[in-house]
Amino acid sequence: MSFVKDLRITDLGTGGGLAVWSFRAAATGEYPCCVIRKGFNSAFGEEAHSALGALIEFAQLLGSAGRRRILLARAGCCSVTADELSIIATLAAAQRNDIELCDAHLSWLMCGRGEQQARDAALKLSAIFANAKLTILSAPVELSRPKRQGPLPVFYAVGHA
């Protein structure tokens, strides 16, 4: 599993941390858990049921409508995967109403299928978080260029297998 170096779920702030924590639970079918429900009741009050429903919808779309498998850490893990970081970036962009950036992240996560539905679900979920005063911020990640080890090999394919 590929984790983002030096990034922990606690570095995502309250909104981002809650989003990752609950996304993992929704994606693995653990959302009926009393801890998840209590956490949502505490964070969203009367909107807890609709918030959990929106989160489940978003998780199911990313898990089934896209063309690739999304890698998540286990529930309770402090580390954050690259895909979870992209999910947070999607929700942060949706919360800022930055549709182009939201679509860019969804393009990566969905691999060209079901992106419109996922965008609608991300906008709905991020609005619920915003109404509860839970801001989702993009993670503080420092990007670096990959180190090149030498000339890259050239591969030519002839024909089809």
Side-chain angles (χ1 to χ4, degrees), residues 36-61:
I36 301 295
R37 294 197 181 274
K38 185 175 181 177
F40 266 67
N41 286 334
S42 175
F44 297 101
E46 293 179 6
E47 295 296 316
H49 184 72
S50 62
L52 187 56
L55 181 81
I56 292 166
E57 177 187 2
F58 183 60
Q60 287 177 343
L61 280 167

Side-chain angles (χ1 to χ4, degrees), residues 40-127:
F40 266 67
N41 286 334
S42 175
F44 297 101
E46 293 179 6
E47 295 296 316
H49 184 72
S50 62
L52 187 56
L55 181 81
I56 292 166
E57 177 187 2
F58 183 60
Q60 287 177 343
L61 280 167
L62 265 62
S64 63
R67 287 190 175 142
R68 77 176 192 77
R69 174 173 251 153
I70 295 174
L71 296 176
L72 302 175
R74 291 187 182 269
C77 180
C78 278
S79 297
V80 178
T81 69
D83 286 341
E84 290 171 338
L85 185 63
S86 194
I87 290 167
I88 290 302
T90 299
L91 294 173
Q95 203 170 54
R96 291 188 317 270
N97 210 27
D98 186 344
I99 302 303
E100 286 184 26
L101 187 57
C102 182
D103 285 347
H105 287 291
L106 286 172
S107 178
W108 163 254
L109 289 166
M110 303 295 287
C111 259
R113 187 181 349 157
E115 292 173 31
Q116 177 64 45
Q117 290 173 298
R119 181 199 317 146
D120 293 343
L123 289 168
K124 178 180 173 182
L125 180 60
S126 65

